[in-house]
Amino acid sequence: QSVLTQPPSVSAAPGQKVTISCSGTSSRIENNSVSWYQELPGTAPNLLIFDNHKRPSGIPDRFSGSKSGTSATLGITGLQTGDEADYYCGTWDASLSSFVFGTGTKVTVL
Amino acid sequence: EVQLVQSGAEMKKPGESLKISCRGSGYSFTSYWIGWVRQMPGKGLEWMGIFHPGDSDSRYSPSFKGQVTMSADKSISTAYLQWSSLKASDTAMYYCARQLGGSLSLGRISFDVWGPGTRVTISS
């Protein structure tokens, strides 16, 4: 049972925007950096966002990350069919002495 | 090109041992931590632990401590994850992933390069 809660699914039409929330506690999100991963069907996860809002090279600026208090948010603008995937947040949990992933969110492009 | 190449799919019986591998290339293998992540069928990602091939330092998730062992052979730039006695519940995809940046700051862990995964199936 993950300690980082994400909505099970979000959806929007092509070109629209979706946001995915990642909710935790102070020992997790508030005091540590959050990263976000995209898992396309049948492939390994891919890093989208690190240190709450930074994008690795090669990740388009359609993807954005933010954090406020005990929640983090991934935003995807200009939604494309190729964005259909599972998305996971992750952060260090000091109370568990463990890195933890969120419950995962499936993005569907209508 | 920086990449992690993992060993092939495995089918084992309960009680057997197993060691899967993750070979790094295109970067200084001993300078980056390697993490291991489990994904059970139809489920989410679970962090198992992280290992430093340079000095063999490690951090295990409490959920996996004592259940698996992480190690590495620097001479062939390969990290390993091993089990001494497999259970059916070990059936999963296992990913290795490189920690972004050479140093480990627990509050800033993220994984920038992932292997393709090794599928492990345990069945009698």
Side-chain angles (χ1 to χ4, degrees):
Chain A
Q1 187 75 17
S2 176
V3 294
L4 294 179
T5 303
Q6 300 180 230
S9 63
V10 297
S11 61
Q16 297 300 303
K17 175 181 179 178
V18 295
T19 59
I20 301 170
S21 60
C22 173
S23 185
T25 65
S26 60
S27 72
R28 300 168 188 124
I29 290 180
E30 187 167 36
N31 296 329
N32 299 293
S33 292
V34 176
S35 50
W36 288 91
Y37 304 86
Q38 176 193 58
E39 188 177 35
L40 294 166
T43 70
N46 184 49
L47 179 65
L48 289 177
I49 298 289
F50 66 99
D51 284 354
N52 305 319
H53 62 89
K54 298 175 183 177
R55 285 187 309 275
S57 61
I59 300 301
D61 59 8
R62 299 189 299 108
F63 296 91
S64 64
S66 64
K67 188 180 84 169
S68 179
T70 59
S71 290
T73 302
L74 174 72
I76 311 174
T77 59
L79 204 60
Q80 302 175 1
T81 55
D83 296 331
E84 287 202 331
D86 293 322
Y87 292 81
Y88 295 90
C89 59
T91 192
W92 182 257
D93 186 325
S95 65
L96 297 177
S97 294
S98 178
F99 186 86
V100 291
F101 287 102
T103 50
T105 298
K106 183 175 187 63
V107 169
T108 300
V109 182
L110 301 172
Chain B
E1 179 193 4
V2 175
Q3 61 178 347
L4 297 173
V5 177
Q6 296 189 238
S7 48
E10 300 275 2
M11 290 194 68
K12 293 284 189 179
K13 290 180 166 50
E16 292 185 332
S17 62
L18 175 64
K19 193 173 190 177
I20 63 175
S21 67
C22 168
R23 180 173 57 83
S25 63
Y27 72 99
S28 175
F29 183 73
T30 55
S31 298
Y32 289 80
W33 292 74
I34 293 288
W36 289 92
V37 176
R38 182 176 80 174
Q39 187 169 39
M40 300 176 76
K43 301 298 184 182
L45 305 175
E46 299 175 89
W47 184 78
M48 302 176 72
I50 197 165
F51 185 86
H52 195 277
D55 61 10
S56 297
D57 193 7
S58 64
R59 305 284 190 280
Y60 286 88
S61 161
S63 298
F64 292 93
K65 191 167 189 177
Q67 309 304 308
V68 296
T69 302
M70 298 179 292
S71 63
D73 184 337
K74 292 188 287 189
S75 68
I76 54 172
S77 300
T78 300
Y80 301 99
L81 182 67
Q82 68 181 82
W83 295 258
S84 59
S85 182
L86 290 158
K87 301 185 278 288
S89 57
D90 293 319
T91 294
M93 180 73 87
Y94 293 88
Y95 295 103
C96 63
R98 190 184 78 163
Q99 148 71 8
L100 178 66
S103 60
L104 182 66
S105 174
L106 294 177
R108 295 182 64 197
I109 291 178
S110 59
F111 300 104
D112 65 340
V113 180
W114 291 68
T118 294
R119 187 170 300 281
V120 173
T121 304
I122 312 301
S123 174
S124 55

PDB file of all heavy atoms in Angstrom, chain A residues 15-52:
ATOM      1  N   GLY A  15      -4.839  17.831 -27.184  1.00  0.00           N
ATOM      2  CA  GLY A  15      -4.629  19.265 -27.119  1.00  0.00           C
ATOM      3  C   GLY A  15      -4.976  19.906 -25.791  1.00  0.00           C
ATOM      4  O   GLY A  15      -4.564  21.048 -25.531  1.00  0.00           O
ATOM      5  N   GLN A  16      -5.729  19.180 -24.978  1.00  0.00           N
ATOM      6  CA  GLN A  16      -6.127  19.723 -23.679  1.00  0.00           C
ATOM      7  C   GLN A  16      -5.029  19.500 -22.635  1.00  0.00           C
ATOM      8  O   GLN A  16      -3.960  18.975 -22.921  1.00  0.00           O
ATOM      9  CB  GLN A  16      -7.439  19.079 -23.223  1.00  0.00           C
ATOM     10  CG  GLN A  16      -8.600  19.373 -24.140  1.00  0.00           C
ATOM     11  CD  GLN A  16      -8.889  20.854 -24.248  1.00  0.00           C
ATOM     12  OE1 GLN A  16      -9.141  21.534 -23.249  1.00  0.00           O
ATOM     13  NE2 GLN A  16      -8.840  21.393 -25.461  1.00  0.00           N
ATOM     14  N   LYS A  17      -5.336  19.916 -21.398  1.00  0.00           N
ATOM     15  CA  LYS A  17      -4.377  19.796 -20.304  1.00  0.00           C
ATOM     16  C   LYS A  17      -4.914  18.856 -19.224  1.00  0.00           C
ATOM     17  O   LYS A  17      -6.127  18.837 -18.966  1.00  0.00           O
ATOM     18  CB  LYS A  17      -4.109  21.171 -19.684  1.00  0.00           C
ATOM     19  CG  LYS A  17      -3.219  21.139 -18.451  1.00  0.00           C
ATOM     20  CD  LYS A  17      -3.014  22.531 -17.874  1.00  0.00           C
ATOM     21  CE  LYS A  17      -2.131  22.467 -16.617  1.00  0.00           C
ATOM     22  NZ  LYS A  17      -1.863  23.812 -16.058  1.00  0.00           N
ATOM     23  N   VAL A  18      -4.016  18.097 -18.629  1.00  0.00           N
ATOM     24  CA  VAL A  18      -4.385  17.306 -17.461  1.00  0.00           C
ATOM     25  C   VAL A  18      -3.387  17.604 -16.338  1.00  0.00           C
ATOM     26  O   VAL A  18      -2.243  17.979 -16.590  1.00  0.00           O
ATOM     27  CB  VAL A  18      -4.397  15.780 -17.743  1.00  0.00           C
ATOM     28  CG1 VAL A  18      -5.470  15.410 -18.735  1.00  0.00           C
ATOM     29  CG2 VAL A  18      -3.032  15.297 -18.188  1.00  0.00           C
ATOM     30  N   THR A  19      -3.872  17.461 -15.124  1.00  0.00           N
ATOM     31  CA  THR A  19      -2.986  17.555 -13.973  1.00  0.00           C
ATOM     32  C   THR A  19      -3.164  16.306 -13.127  1.00  0.00           C
ATOM     33  O   THR A  19      -4.278  15.773 -13.007  1.00  0.00           O
ATOM     34  CB  THR A  19      -3.270  18.796 -13.117  1.00  0.00           C
ATOM     35  OG1 THR A  19      -4.622  18.756 -12.667  1.00  0.00           O
ATOM     36  CG2 THR A  19      -3.033  20.074 -13.907  1.00  0.00           C
ATOM     37  N   ILE A  20      -2.059  15.856 -12.570  1.00  0.00           N
ATOM     38  CA  ILE A  20      -2.054  14.662 -11.722  1.00  0.00           C
ATOM     39  C   ILE A  20      -1.498  15.065 -10.359  1.00  0.00           C
ATOM     40  O   ILE A  20      -0.388  15.608 -10.270  1.00  0.00           O
ATOM     41  CB  ILE A  20      -1.184  13.550 -12.332  1.00  0.00           C
ATOM     42  CG1 ILE A  20      -1.708  13.162 -13.713  1.00  0.00           C
ATOM     43  CG2 ILE A  20      -1.156  12.335 -11.417  1.00  0.00           C
ATOM     44  CD1 ILE A  20      -0.769  12.245 -14.483  1.00  0.00           C
ATOM     45  N   SER A  21      -2.247  14.799  -9.336  1.00  0.00           N
ATOM     46  CA  SER A  21      -1.806  15.154  -7.992  1.00  0.00           C
ATOM     47  C   SER A  21      -1.117  13.979  -7.319  1.00  0.00           C
ATOM     48  O   SER A  21      -1.365  12.811  -7.648  1.00  0.00           O
ATOM     49  CB  SER A  21      -2.995  15.605  -7.149  1.00  0.00           C
ATOM     50  OG  SER A  21      -3.950  14.550  -7.068  1.00  0.00           O
ATOM     51  N   CYS A  22      -0.269  14.298  -6.365  1.00  0.00           N
ATOM     52  CA  CYS A  22       0.481  13.308  -5.595  1.00  0.00           C
ATOM     53  C   CYS A  22       0.490  13.827  -4.161  1.00  0.00           C
ATOM     54  O   CYS A  22       1.124  14.846  -3.872  1.00  0.00           O
ATOM     55  CB  CYS A  22       1.887  13.182  -6.156  1.00  0.00           C
ATOM     56  SG  CYS A  22       3.022  12.143  -5.218  1.00  0.00           S
ATOM     57  N   SER A  23      -0.248  13.155  -3.308  1.00  0.00           N
ATOM     58  CA  SER A  23      -0.446  13.674  -1.961  1.00  0.00           C
ATOM     59  C   SER A  23       0.218  12.786  -0.927  1.00  0.00           C
ATOM     60  O   SER A  23       0.071  11.563  -0.953  1.00  0.00           O
ATOM     61  CB  SER A  23      -1.956  13.760  -1.701  1.00  0.00           C
ATOM     62  OG  SER A  23      -2.219  14.354  -0.486  1.00  0.00           O
ATOM     63  N   GLY A  24       0.944  13.420   0.007  1.00  0.00           N
ATOM     64  CA  GLY A  24       1.628  12.660   1.044  1.00  0.00           C
ATOM     65  C   GLY A  24       1.564  13.371   2.379  1.00  0.00           C
ATOM     66  O   GLY A  24       0.594  14.054   2.677  1.00  0.00           O
ATOM     67  N   THR A  25       2.603  13.200   3.171  1.00  0.00           N
ATOM     68  CA  THR A  25       2.679  13.885   4.463  1.00  0.00           C
ATOM     69  C   THR A  25       3.992  14.653   4.539  1.00  0.00           C
ATOM     70  O   THR A  25       4.819  14.564   3.625  1.00  0.00           O
ATOM     71  CB  THR A  25       2.617  12.892   5.633  1.00  0.00           C
ATOM     72  OG1 THR A  25       3.795  12.068   5.581  1.00  0.00           O
ATOM     73  CG2 THR A  25       1.386  12.007   5.554  1.00  0.00           C
ATOM     74  N   SER A  26       4.195  15.372   5.621  1.00  0.00           N
ATOM     75  CA  SER A  26       5.382  16.213   5.736  1.00  0.00           C
ATOM     76  C   SER A  26       6.669  15.400   5.718  1.00  0.00           C
ATOM     77  O   SER A  26       7.700  15.871   5.257  1.00  0.00           O
ATOM     78  CB  SER A  26       5.328  17.068   6.996  1.00  0.00           C
ATOM     79  OG  SER A  26       5.254  16.243   8.144  1.00  0.00           O
ATOM     80  N   SER A  27       6.606  14.174   6.218  1.00  0.00           N
ATOM     81  CA  SER A  27       7.832  13.368   6.210  1.00  0.00           C
ATOM     82  C   SER A  27       8.160  12.885   4.809  1.00  0.00           C
ATOM     83  O   SER A  27       9.225  12.325   4.575  1.00  0.00           O
ATOM     84  CB  SER A  27       7.695  12.170   7.150  1.00  0.00           C
ATOM     85  OG  SER A  27       6.805  11.199   6.610  1.00  0.00           O
ATOM     86  N   ARG A  28       7.246  13.104   3.896  1.00  0.00           N
ATOM     87  CA  ARG A  28       7.486  12.658   2.528  1.00  0.00           C
ATOM     88  C   ARG A  28       7.648  13.864   1.614  1.00  0.00           C
ATOM     89  O   ARG A  28       8.736  14.367   1.422  1.00  0.00           O
ATOM     90  CB  ARG A  28       6.325  11.758   2.089  1.00  0.00           C
ATOM     91  CG  ARG A  28       6.189  10.540   2.994  1.00  0.00           C
ATOM     92  CD  ARG A  28       4.902   9.775   2.802  1.00  0.00           C
ATOM     93  NE  ARG A  28       4.809   8.765   3.856  1.00  0.00           N
ATOM     94  CZ  ARG A  28       3.801   8.644   4.692  1.00  0.00           C
ATOM     95  NH1 ARG A  28       2.754   9.429   4.574  1.00  0.00           N
ATOM     96  NH2 ARG A  28       3.808   7.711   5.627  1.00  0.00           N
ATOM     97  N   ILE A  29       6.559  14.342   1.075  1.00  0.00           N
ATOM     98  CA  ILE A  29       6.661  15.351   0.022  1.00  0.00           C
ATOM     99  C   ILE A  29       7.190  16.681   0.512  1.00  0.00           C
ATOM    100  O   ILE A  29       8.057  17.292  -0.102  1.00  0.00           O
ATOM    101  CB  ILE A  29       5.285  15.521  -0.664  1.00  0.00           C
ATOM    102  CG1 ILE A  29       4.978  14.260  -1.485  1.00  0.00           C
ATOM    103  CG2 ILE A  29       5.255  16.771  -1.518  1.00  0.00           C
ATOM    104  CD1 ILE A  29       3.657  14.305  -2.215  1.00  0.00           C
ATOM    105  N   GLU A  30       6.687  17.170   1.644  1.00  0.00           N
ATOM    106  CA  GLU A  30       7.026  18.533   2.063  1.00  0.00           C
ATOM    107  C   GLU A  30       8.525  18.721   2.285  1.00  0.00           C
ATOM    108  O   GLU A  30       9.082  19.776   1.986  1.00  0.00           O
ATOM    109  CB  GLU A  30       6.273  18.891   3.334  1.00  0.00           C
ATOM    110  CG  GLU A  30       6.432  20.352   3.753  1.00  0.00           C
ATOM    111  CD  GLU A  30       5.438  20.741   4.830  1.00  0.00           C
ATOM    112  OE1 GLU A  30       5.137  19.906   5.698  1.00  0.00           O
ATOM    113  OE2 GLU A  30       4.966  21.889   4.783  1.00  0.00           O
ATOM    114  N   ASN A  31       9.177  17.698   2.785  1.00  0.00           N
ATOM    115  CA  ASN A  31      10.579  17.829   3.160  1.00  0.00           C
ATOM    116  C   ASN A  31      11.550  17.208   2.177  1.00  0.00           C
ATOM    117  O   ASN A  31      12.761  17.198   2.427  1.00  0.00           O
ATOM    118  CB  ASN A  31      10.807  17.213   4.546  1.00  0.00           C
ATOM    119  CG  ASN A  31      10.042  17.948   5.627  1.00  0.00           C
ATOM    120  OD1 ASN A  31       9.824  19.144   5.529  1.00  0.00           O
ATOM    121  ND2 ASN A  31       9.619  17.216   6.643  1.00  0.00           N
ATOM    122  N   ASN A  32      11.061  16.696   1.065  1.00  0.00           N
ATOM    123  CA  ASN A  32      11.926  16.034   0.102  1.00  0.00           C
ATOM    124  C   ASN A  32      11.515  16.365  -1.333  1.00  0.00           C
ATOM    125  O   ASN A  32      10.404  16.808  -1.576  1.00  0.00           O
ATOM    126  CB  ASN A  32      11.881  14.520   0.311  1.00  0.00           C
ATOM    127  CG  ASN A  32      12.369  14.113   1.684  1.00  0.00           C
ATOM    128  OD1 ASN A  32      13.541  14.264   2.007  1.00  0.00           O
ATOM    129  ND2 ASN A  32      11.460  13.606   2.501  1.00  0.00           N
ATOM    130  N   SER A  33      12.434  16.139  -2.244  1.00  0.00           N
ATOM    131  CA  SER A  33      12.154  16.395  -3.652  1.00  0.00           C
ATOM    132  C   SER A  33      11.293  15.288  -4.251  1.00  0.00           C
ATOM    133  O   SER A  33      11.414  14.119  -3.884  1.00  0.00           O
ATOM    134  CB  SER A  33      13.460  16.496  -4.438  1.00  0.00           C
ATOM    135  OG  SER A  33      14.184  17.644  -4.078  1.00  0.00           O
ATOM    136  N   VAL A  34      10.450  15.695  -5.190  1.00  0.00           N
ATOM    137  CA  VAL A  34       9.564  14.751  -5.877  1.00  0.00           C
ATOM    138  C   VAL A  34      10.032  14.552  -7.313  1.00  0.00           C
ATOM    139  O   VAL A  34      10.462  15.508  -7.979  1.00  0.00           O
ATOM    140  CB  VAL A  34       8.115  15.277  -5.870  1.00  0.00           C
ATOM    141  CG1 VAL A  34       7.197  14.344  -6.664  1.00  0.00           C
ATOM    142  CG2 VAL A  34       7.611  15.409  -4.434  1.00  0.00           C
ATOM    143  N   SER A  35       9.978  13.337  -7.770  1.00  0.00           N
ATOM    144  CA  SER A  35      10.239  13.027  -9.174  1.00  0.00           C
ATOM    145  C   SER A  35       8.994  12.384  -9.771  1.00  0.00           C
ATOM    146  O   SER A  35       8.144  11.835  -9.045  1.00  0.00           O
ATOM    147  CB  SER A  35      11.457  12.115  -9.328  1.00  0.00           C
ATOM    148  OG  SER A  35      11.400  10.974  -8.484  1.00  0.00           O
ATOM    149  N   TRP A  36       8.891  12.473 -11.084  1.00  0.00           N
ATOM    150  CA  TRP A  36       7.744  11.917 -11.806  1.00  0.00           C
ATOM    151  C   TRP A  36       8.242  11.036 -12.947  1.00  0.00           C
ATOM    152  O   TRP A  36       9.233  11.368 -13.621  1.00  0.00           O
ATOM    153  CB  TRP A  36       6.886  13.040 -12.396  1.00  0.00           C
ATOM    154  CG  TRP A  36       6.100  13.804 -11.379  1.00  0.00           C
ATOM    155  CD1 TRP A  36       6.492  14.933 -10.713  1.00  0.00           C
ATOM    156  CD2 TRP A  36       4.772  13.511 -10.922  1.00  0.00           C
ATOM    157  NE1 TRP A  36       5.490  15.358  -9.866  1.00  0.00           N
ATOM    158  CE2 TRP A  36       4.415  14.506  -9.980  1.00  0.00           C
ATOM    159  CE3 TRP A  36       3.826  12.520 -11.228  1.00  0.00           C
ATOM    160  CZ2 TRP A  36       3.184  14.525  -9.332  1.00  0.00           C
ATOM    161  CZ3 TRP A  36       2.606  12.529 -10.588  1.00  0.00           C
ATOM    162  CH2 TRP A  36       2.292  13.526  -9.645  1.00  0.00           C
ATOM    163  N   TYR A  37       7.528   9.933 -13.171  1.00  0.00           N
ATOM    164  CA  TYR A  37       7.916   8.950 -14.171  1.00  0.00           C
ATOM    165  C   TYR A  37       6.723   8.609 -15.059  1.00  0.00           C
ATOM    166  O   TYR A  37       5.594   8.509 -14.590  1.00  0.00           O
ATOM    167  CB  TYR A  37       8.428   7.676 -13.485  1.00  0.00           C
ATOM    168  CG  TYR A  37       9.575   7.969 -12.546  1.00  0.00           C
ATOM    169  CD1 TYR A  37       9.332   8.357 -11.239  1.00  0.00           C
ATOM    170  CD2 TYR A  37      10.887   7.916 -12.985  1.00  0.00           C
ATOM    171  CE1 TYR A  37      10.369   8.680 -10.381  1.00  0.00           C
ATOM    172  CE2 TYR A  37      11.940   8.232 -12.131  1.00  0.00           C
ATOM    173  CZ  TYR A  37      11.661   8.629 -10.838  1.00  0.00           C
ATOM    174  OH  TYR A  37      12.699   8.962  -9.999  1.00  0.00           O
ATOM    175  N   GLN A  38       7.026   8.429 -16.343  1.00  0.00           N
ATOM    176  CA  GLN A  38       6.024   7.997 -17.309  1.00  0.00           C
ATOM    177  C   GLN A  38       6.312   6.563 -17.690  1.00  0.00           C
ATOM    178  O   GLN A  38       7.445   6.243 -18.045  1.00  0.00           O
ATOM    179  CB  GLN A  38       6.113   8.883 -18.565  1.00  0.00           C
ATOM    180  CG  GLN A  38       5.176   8.475 -19.690  1.00  0.00           C
ATOM    181  CD  GLN A  38       5.548   9.182 -20.988  1.00  0.00           C
ATOM    182  OE1 GLN A  38       6.663   9.076 -21.485  1.00  0.00           O
ATOM    183  NE2 GLN A  38       4.598   9.916 -21.548  1.00  0.00           N
ATOM    184  N   GLU A  39       5.308   5.721 -17.599  1.00  0.00           N
ATOM    185  CA  GLU A  39       5.464   4.330 -17.990  1.00  0.00           C
ATOM    186  C   GLU A  39       4.518   4.049 -19.164  1.00  0.00           C
ATOM    187  O   GLU A  39       3.321   3.806 -18.982  1.00  0.00           O
ATOM    188  CB  GLU A  39       5.177   3.382 -16.840  1.00  0.00           C
ATOM    189  CG  GLU A  39       5.515   1.937 -17.163  1.00  0.00           C
ATOM    190  CD  GLU A  39       5.295   0.981 -15.993  1.00  0.00           C
ATOM    191  OE1 GLU A  39       4.346   1.209 -15.220  1.00  0.00           O
ATOM    192  OE2 GLU A  39       6.069   0.014 -15.872  1.00  0.00           O
ATOM    193  N   LEU A  40       5.059   4.108 -20.365  1.00  0.00           N
ATOM    194  CA  LEU A  40       4.279   3.774 -21.552  1.00  0.00           C
ATOM    195  C   LEU A  40       3.998   2.282 -21.560  1.00  0.00           C
ATOM    196  O   LEU A  40       4.773   1.499 -20.996  1.00  0.00           O
ATOM    197  CB  LEU A  40       5.040   4.180 -22.808  1.00  0.00           C
ATOM    198  CG  LEU A  40       5.245   5.694 -23.008  1.00  0.00           C
ATOM    199  CD1 LEU A  40       6.288   5.949 -24.092  1.00  0.00           C
ATOM    200  CD2 LEU A  40       3.936   6.377 -23.354  1.00  0.00           C
ATOM    201  N   PRO A  41       2.900   1.861 -22.167  1.00  0.00           N
ATOM    202  CA  PRO A  41       2.551   0.427 -22.147  1.00  0.00           C
ATOM    203  C   PRO A  41       3.687  -0.457 -22.636  1.00  0.00           C
ATOM    204  O   PRO A  41       4.263  -0.242 -23.705  1.00  0.00           O
ATOM    205  CB  PRO A  41       1.359   0.364 -23.107  1.00  0.00           C
ATOM    206  CG  PRO A  41       0.743   1.720 -23.051  1.00  0.00           C
ATOM    207  CD  PRO A  41       1.895   2.669 -22.880  1.00  0.00           C
ATOM    208  N   GLY A  42       4.039  -1.425 -21.810  1.00  0.00           N
ATOM    209  CA  GLY A  42       5.052  -2.395 -22.184  1.00  0.00           C
ATOM    210  C   GLY A  42       6.486  -1.900 -22.159  1.00  0.00           C
ATOM    211  O   GLY A  42       7.391  -2.591 -22.648  1.00  0.00           O
ATOM    212  N   THR A  43       6.710  -0.739 -21.592  1.00  0.00           N
ATOM    213  CA  THR A  43       8.072  -0.207 -21.544  1.00  0.00           C
ATOM    214  C   THR A  43       8.470   0.146 -20.118  1.00  0.00           C
ATOM    215  O   THR A  43       7.626   0.239 -19.222  1.00  0.00           O
ATOM    216  CB  THR A  43       8.237   1.047 -22.424  1.00  0.00           C
ATOM    217  OG1 THR A  43       7.518   2.133 -21.827  1.00  0.00           O
ATOM    218  CG2 THR A  43       7.717   0.805 -23.836  1.00  0.00           C
ATOM    219  N   ALA A  44       9.766   0.369 -19.931  1.00  0.00           N
ATOM    220  CA  ALA A  44      10.267   0.755 -18.616  1.00  0.00           C
ATOM    221  C   ALA A  44       9.882   2.203 -18.307  1.00  0.00           C
ATOM    222  O   ALA A  44       9.651   3.003 -19.218  1.00  0.00           O
ATOM    223  CB  ALA A  44      11.783   0.602 -18.576  1.00  0.00           C
ATOM    224  N   PRO A  45       9.803   2.540 -17.035  1.00  0.00           N
ATOM    225  CA  PRO A  45       9.522   3.940 -16.673  1.00  0.00           C
ATOM    226  C   PRO A  45      10.581   4.885 -17.231  1.00  0.00           C
ATOM    227  O   PRO A  45      11.721   4.496 -17.495  1.00  0.00           O
ATOM    228  CB  PRO A  45       9.558   3.907 -15.146  1.00  0.00           C
ATOM    229  CG  PRO A  45       9.233   2.497 -14.778  1.00  0.00           C
ATOM    230  CD  PRO A  45       9.872   1.674 -15.857  1.00  0.00           C
ATOM    231  N   ASN A  46      10.174   6.130 -17.388  1.00  0.00           N
ATOM    232  CA  ASN A  46      11.054   7.173 -17.919  1.00  0.00           C
ATOM    233  C   ASN A  46      10.912   8.413 -17.043  1.00  0.00           C
ATOM    234  O   ASN A  46       9.793   8.828 -16.726  1.00  0.00           O
ATOM    235  CB  ASN A  46      10.663   7.487 -19.368  1.00  0.00           C
ATOM    236  CG  ASN A  46      11.593   8.491 -20.009  1.00  0.00           C
ATOM    237  OD1 ASN A  46      12.805   8.356 -19.946  1.00  0.00           O
ATOM    238  ND2 ASN A  46      11.028   9.510 -20.629  1.00  0.00           N
ATOM    239  N   LEU A  47      12.041   9.002 -16.673  1.00  0.00           N
ATOM    240  CA  LEU A  47      12.019  10.172 -15.806  1.00  0.00           C
ATOM    241  C   LEU A  47      11.509  11.400 -16.560  1.00  0.00           C
ATOM    242  O   LEU A  47      12.049  11.768 -17.605  1.00  0.00           O
ATOM    243  CB  LEU A  47      13.428  10.446 -15.273  1.00  0.00           C
ATOM    244  CG  LEU A  47      13.604  11.661 -14.365  1.00  0.00           C
ATOM    245  CD1 LEU A  47      12.834  11.486 -13.054  1.00  0.00           C
ATOM    246  CD2 LEU A  47      15.092  11.911 -14.088  1.00  0.00           C
ATOM    247  N   LEU A  48      10.472  12.025 -16.020  1.00  0.00           N
ATOM    248  CA  LEU A  48       9.910  13.231 -16.618  1.00  0.00           C
ATOM    249  C   LEU A  48      10.324  14.499 -15.859  1.00  0.00           C
ATOM    250  O   LEU A  48      10.596  15.532 -16.462  1.00  0.00           O
ATOM    251  CB  LEU A  48       8.382  13.171 -16.586  1.00  0.00           C
ATOM    252  CG  LEU A  48       7.662  12.198 -17.504  1.00  0.00           C
ATOM    253  CD1 LEU A  48       6.153  12.279 -17.225  1.00  0.00           C
ATOM    254  CD2 LEU A  48       7.959  12.472 -18.961  1.00  0.00           C
ATOM    255  N   ILE A  49      10.302  14.401 -14.532  1.00  0.00           N
ATOM    256  CA  ILE A  49      10.543  15.558 -13.663  1.00  0.00           C
ATOM    257  C   ILE A  49      11.390  15.099 -12.476  1.00  0.00           C
ATOM    258  O   ILE A  49      11.142  14.027 -11.910  1.00  0.00           O
ATOM    259  CB  ILE A  49       9.222  16.145 -13.131  1.00  0.00           C
ATOM    260  CG1 ILE A  49       8.340  16.659 -14.269  1.00  0.00           C
ATOM    261  CG2 ILE A  49       9.487  17.244 -12.098  1.00  0.00           C
ATOM    262  CD1 ILE A  49       8.825  17.920 -14.954  1.00  0.00           C
ATOM    263  N   PHE A  50      12.385  15.882 -12.105  1.00  0.00           N
ATOM    264  CA  PHE A  50      13.142  15.636 -10.885  1.00  0.00           C
ATOM    265  C   PHE A  50      13.257  16.936 -10.099  1.00  0.00           C
ATOM    266  O   PHE A  50      13.023  18.022 -10.637  1.00  0.00           O
ATOM    267  CB  PHE A  50      14.514  15.022 -11.179  1.00  0.00           C
ATOM    268  CG  PHE A  50      15.464  15.943 -11.916  1.00  0.00           C
ATOM    269  CD1 PHE A  50      16.436  16.640 -11.219  1.00  0.00           C
ATOM    270  CD2 PHE A  50      15.400  16.087 -13.296  1.00  0.00           C
ATOM    271  CE1 PHE A  50      17.322  17.481 -11.884  1.00  0.00           C
ATOM    272  CE2 PHE A  50      16.270  16.918 -13.970  1.00  0.00           C
ATOM    273  CZ  PHE A  50      17.232  17.624 -13.264  1.00  0.00           C
ATOM    274  N   ASP A  51      13.630  16.810  -8.824  1.00  0.00           N
ATOM    275  CA  ASP A  51      13.717  17.983  -7.947  1.00  0.00           C
ATOM    276  C   ASP A  51      12.466  18.858  -8.047  1.00  0.00           C
ATOM    277  O   ASP A  51      12.556  20.090  -8.167  1.00  0.00           O
ATOM    278  CB  ASP A  51      14.967  18.816  -8.286  1.00  0.00           C
ATOM    279  CG  ASP A  51      16.248  18.192  -7.761  1.00  0.00           C
ATOM    280  OD1 ASP A  51      16.153  17.171  -7.040  1.00  0.00           O
ATOM    281  OD2 ASP A  51      17.334  18.697  -8.076  1.00  0.00           O
ATOM    282  N   ASN A  52      11.327  18.226  -8.043  1.00  0.00           N
ATOM    283  CA  ASN A  52      10.001  18.864  -8.023  1.00  0.00           C
ATOM    284  C   ASN A  52       9.547  19.470  -9.349  1.00  0.00           C
ATOM    285  O   ASN A  52       8.378  19.383  -9.707  1.00  0.00           O
ATOM    286  CB  ASN A  52       9.943  19.980  -6.957  1.00  0.00           C
ATOM    287  CG  ASN A  52      10.327  19.499  -5.581  1.00  0.00           C
ATOM    288  OD1 ASN A  52       9.934  18.404  -5.171  1.00  0.00           O
ATOM    289  ND2 ASN A  52      11.107  20.298  -4.863  1.00  0.00           N
TER     290      ASN A  52
END
